[in-house]
């Protein structure tokens, strides 16, 4: 398909509602979805000439797509396409050969998925559920799982769940709330920078303009949320990817921001189950349920393949969408209710903590950051991160450039996910990575 | 909440993009979602006065919501709210007491869900799948299920699936394609009248204007698709709810319509598995895969609680959204591959055919219509259908007014779904219904 040699003006049809730069952003998203990672988009001056529009229109559209993670801008270099999974096409997917040592963040240990106990939970549902449970599902989720999760979130996460809606995961939940925000007339969503690219994309997909707000070692800089933004997406328990915890001062500022400006806080309870040094902080939602939508899932505790998540909504809010399959919902309810989930989390916590300690030790005198929590850490570099990513890849180690999660490039660093790294691979992966970074 | 005594003008905020009647339709949808079934909306003249707009704006907005199934218009009576499941609210759902004899259409026999064999299929997946299958799911669906379903659709439905995308069911699939249509600039979707209300709603939810097209005993009247409509949603195998099959002449007209006007046919392969008098007709998709998006699911063959469906897209089309849980996908792949699905369908076909014959006999000399297929039939009445629905309800029998699926009221008739009617209840339910209708 289109590369940088193509006349992009021909590919881009400016139609539909909104000002010209929004039309262009929409058209660009469609074209970019069909392109390979790293393809350069035309210089703004050239595209403006091709389209017969002002250069400002093009730079605005590019900036929007960079904020959404479709494009990556590097200082002094061409703006390039960034692939992150992307749209569902009618083509059978072509899978790249799996790297030998995969340190991509966002996965739990797939080797330790509790296969036997999950099969037992499913069989339990299929043996005991009344036949009416196989009928038209409740769109908000099965009442039993909603109740079980409300209890769990109250007990473990200090949440105050008036009610819980079951969804397919955090991405699905955030997408639904973004659509609901758009329906009420909200047009902008403030997000952490750096932050999870996929969530910025679903916000953009719901028609919201994404506004990156810088994160420092206390978490999001609340004072820098743009005036007029009525919603903000945050990861207070364990910021992704910097690994900081939202400080008490900032928590208070964030709640004040929401109360003063009638704002909504979207709280992604990222990695909250895995704190190794102390008890995890409770949710912001528990402090002011009227101002916070809380999101969680089992994607990083059990498996993303289960597609089970939840949203706790403030009273009066409604979202649309459909709940995951009822059998899976009831299996999770049974797994939590029986104590199986708690046991699984305890074993996982121990496993990840040990693995993290070994990885930190094996990386030697490297500059690392992030609190002792979760499934990833940040490795700071003295040289260009993209080059280290490539060198590591050649040695069979997959790591991620922190810039991939930034709206604007910053200090060179890598994000290392150790959730799905095999225990017997930690030392070798660390040695290869040190060689690549050296 | 608001009833007909309220000053609706206060509740309705006209904002956002588009002309005034679209703003009003948007505002009305939100208010109506919070109302009980049967609540009357204000007369158009009164609401126009409250809002300070023309009466034309109000009648346009009401007509749109009637087409979408949010409101029901009856000749010579107030326009009223119609509830069909509705939005997901943060409240725990209040379930009405289940009727003794439930003839609501759209459900298979939940008593015969193959519990044991499904549990075996799930355990098979959990025992044998490689651990990588528990990782980030493929958004278009697991390659194995996509392959198995492509073979199945080719073999059983005469389809020509270049490729298959897995989704959560027909509603989810239609919603995704409607969003994709909207993105390409399509603004209107022609639908069968009468037809499935929920699908009209998801089309409206994707921002499309729904245009009802009358159905006669040959199926949709293709010549009455409005000029300028670029997409049409049809049920060729077994029209819901009239029970007709799209005639060969109309199939040809429909394909000509799509080819001449660069149109897309959305083919809901409704009830195609259950034809009792002859082999079911093949899909329209098999005739021209470039012009048809084909939708199917296991909701009416196994259970809607499984949340498993598929879309076959024309080449070049993409949709967004996430696939159902991988474990369920692989369980279905195993169930189809092992021949278990075919065996289940054969047994179900025999069971429904016998039940249908018994119901027809027990209804006596009633005027029935619909070919010998599927899980429902139409009972024509000599008196007001709404009164018969109420009288039946008092006797513990739930049936549906055909008007509930019509954009404009028509001849009095009921839709009787027998898919989930217990075998030992057929004669009693029929007798009570005859008494109610008498």
């Amino acid at each position: 398909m289109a590369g940088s040699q193509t006349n992009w003006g021909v590919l881009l049809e400016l139609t539909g509602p909104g000002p010209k730069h929004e039309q262009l952003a929409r058209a660009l998203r469609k074209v970019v979805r069909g392109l390979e990672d790293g393809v350069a988009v035309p210089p703004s001056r050239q595209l403006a000439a091709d389209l017969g529009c002002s250069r400002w229109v093009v730079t605005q559209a590019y900036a929007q797509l960079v904020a959404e993670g479709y494009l990556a801008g590097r200082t002094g270099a061409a703006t390039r396409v960034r692939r992150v999974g992307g749209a569902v096409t009618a083509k059978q997917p072509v899978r790249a050969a799996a790297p030998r040592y995969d340190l991509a963040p966002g996965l739990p240990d797939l080797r330790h998925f509790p296969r036997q106990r999950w099969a037992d939970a499913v069989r339990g549902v299929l043996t005991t559920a009344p036949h009416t449970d196989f009928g038209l599902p409740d769109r908000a989720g099965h009442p039993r799982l909603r109740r079980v999760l409300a209890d769990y979130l109250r007990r473990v996460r200090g949440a105050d769940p008036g009610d819980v809606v079951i969804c397919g995961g955090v991405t699905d939940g955030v997408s639904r709330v973004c659509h609901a925000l758009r329906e009420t007339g909200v047009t902008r969503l403030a997000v952490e920078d750096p932050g999870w690219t996929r969530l910025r994309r679903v916000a953009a997909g719901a028609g919201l303009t994404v506004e990156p707000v810088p994160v420092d070692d206390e978490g999001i800089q609340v004072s820098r949320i743009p005036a007029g933004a009525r919603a903000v997406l945050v990861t207070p328990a364990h910021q992704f990817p910097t690994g900081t915890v939202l400080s008490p001062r900032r928590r208070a500022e964030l709640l004040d921001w929401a109360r003063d400006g009638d704002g909504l806080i979207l709280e992604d309870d990222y990695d909250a189950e895995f704190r190794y040094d102390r008890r995890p902080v409770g949710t912001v939602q528990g402090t002011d349920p009227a101002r916070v939508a809380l999101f969680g899932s089992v994607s990083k505790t059990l498996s993303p393949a289960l597609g089970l998540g939840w949203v706790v909504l403030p009273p009066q809010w409604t979202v649309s969408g459909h709940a995951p399959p009822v059998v899976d919902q009831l299996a999770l309810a049974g797994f939590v209710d029986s104590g199986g989930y708690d046991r699984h989390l305890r074993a996982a916590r121990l496993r990840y903590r040990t693995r993290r300690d070994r990885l930190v030790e094996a990386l030697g005198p490297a500059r690392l950051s992030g609190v002792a929590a979760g499934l990833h850490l940040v490795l700071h570099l003295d040289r260009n991160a993209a080059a280290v990513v490539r060198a590591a890849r050649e040695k069979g180690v997959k790591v991620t450039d922190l810039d991939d999660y930034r709206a604007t490039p910053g200090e060179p660093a890598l994000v290392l996910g150790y959730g799905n790294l095999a225990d017997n691979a930690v030392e070798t992966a660390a040695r290869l990575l040190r060689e690549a970074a050296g």
Side-chain angles (χ1 to χ4, degrees), chain A:
Chain A
M1 245 195 90
S4 55
Q5 297 315 304
T6 320
N7 179 350
W8 283 58
V10 177
L11 293 171
L12 298 166
E13 200 191 355
L14 303 198
T15 55
K20 233 173 194 159
H21 66 272
E22 286 182 15
Q23 296 174 18
L24 177 57
R26 214 159 32 229
L28 275 169
R29 264 181 225 115
K30 282 175 67 176
V31 171
V32 161
R33 281 192 199 113
L35 298 181
E36 297 295 309
D37 188 60
V39 171
V41 298
S44 54
R45 194 183 302 274
Q46 182 192 319
L47 184 57
D50 284 351
L51 291 170
C53 67
S54 79
R55 193 173 163 196
W56 181 86
V57 166
V58 178
T59 53
Q60 282 295 99
Y62 280 3
Q64 178 63 22
L65 267 74
V66 167
E68 293 167 18
Y70 284 90
L71 298 177
R74 310 249 188 249
T75 319
T79 302
R80 291 178 183 280
V81 173
R82 177 193 283 174
R83 296 291 297 167
V84 195
V88 175
T89 72
K91 306 284 168 299
Q92 287 284 4
V94 179
R95 286 170 184 276
R100 183 113 195 247
Y101 305 101
D102 190 347
L103 279 82
L107 280 183
D109 197 327
L110 305 178
R111 292 163 198 81
H112 286 90
F113 179 79
R115 295 172 178 239
Q116 178 69 40
R117 276 170 290 154
W118 191 258
D120 291 344
V122 170
R123 186 173 297 274
V125 171
L126 288 167
T127 309
T128 60
H131 75 262
T132 47
D133 274 345
F134 298 105
L136 282 178
D138 212 312
R139 284 154 61 82
H142 194 285
R144 181 165 172 224
L145 180 59
R146 299 172 73 185
R147 219 160 37 229
V148 166
L149 285 177
D151 291 344
Y152 173 82
L153 292 170
R154 212 174 278 121
R155 174 168 61 83
V156 176
R157 298 296 303 129
D160 183 3
D163 212 341
V164 178
V165 171
I166 311 302
C167 61
V170 171
T171 305
D172 180 36
V174 169
S175 168
R176 295 189 196 198
V177 171
C178 286
H179 276 102
L181 283 165
R182 193 71 197 76
E183 272 209 21
T184 66
V186 172
T187 56
R188 296 153 76 191
L189 176 71
V191 298
E192 295 173 334
D193 182 24
W196 224 186
T197 313
R198 199 180 293 271
L199 295 181
R200 287 187 232 164
R201 287 205 175 177
V202 302
L208 299 178
T209 303
V210 173
E211 309 255 21
V213 177
V215 168
D216 62 21
D217 55 8
E218 291 191 66
I220 189 167
Q221 298 182 34
V222 178
S223 61
R224 297 180 65 176
I225 297 176
R230 291 269 306 281
V232 60
L233 172 64
V234 289
T235 49
H238 190 222
Q239 207 274 332
F240 182 87
T242 63
T244 60
V245 176
L246 190 67
S247 73
R249 183 169 68 112
R250 290 278 171 79
R251 284 171 78 98
E253 281 177 31
L254 191 63
L255 283 165
D256 285 345
W257 168 87
R259 288 175 195 140
D260 293 349
D262 190 22
L264 182 72
I265 299 166
L266 284 71
E267 179 176 20
D268 174 3
D269 203 18
Y270 193 85
D271 268 357
E273 298 81 358
F274 300 126
R275 182 93 192 228
Y276 312 127
D277 51 349
R278 46 163 286 183
R279 269 183 73 83
V281 294
T283 59
V284 177
Q285 193 273 346
T287 316
D288 193 346
R291 292 286 165 209
V292 184
L294 176 69
F295 303 87
S297 81
V298 300
S299 296
K300 291 176 193 70
T301 55
L302 289 168
S303 156
L306 293 181
L308 287 166
W310 50 86
V311 188
V312 179
L313 289 168
Q316 312 311 331
W317 275 82
T318 61
V319 291
S320 52
H322 68 278
V326 174
V327 173
D328 304 73
Q329 292 185 57
L330 291 174
L332 180 60
F335 195 54
V336 173
D337 242 2
S338 69
Y341 190 56
D342 279 341
R343 274 194 299 279
H344 173 78
L345 287 181
R346 275 198 298 276
R349 211 173 284 127
L350 194 62
R351 187 180 311 123
Y352 294 135
R353 179 190 188 144
T354 310
R355 191 179 302 159
R356 180 189 174 92
D357 289 347
R358 282 175 52 202
L359 181 61
V360 169
E361 190 177 322
L363 286 170
R367 283 185 294 138
L368 302 173
S369 67
V371 300
L375 307 175
H376 75 271
L377 48 77
V378 172
L379 168 64
H380 299 271
L381 299 172
D382 296 316
R383 51 183 279 235
N384 184 285
V388 177
V389 168
R390 276 194 303 274
R393 182 78 204 207
E394 273 162 27
K395 294 172 184 290
V397 181
K398 184 176 174 190
V399 290
T400 312
D401 186 343
L402 181 56
D403 272 355
D404 283 355
Y405 302 108
R406 283 172 172 145
T408 41
E411 297 288 309
L414 302 178
V415 181
L416 311 184
Y418 49 81
N420 193 30
L421 186 63
D423 278 322
N424 61 15
V426 174
E427 278 76 16
T428 315
R431 178 175 52 75
L432 293 170
L433 186 55
R434 286 175 66 178
E435 289 170 15

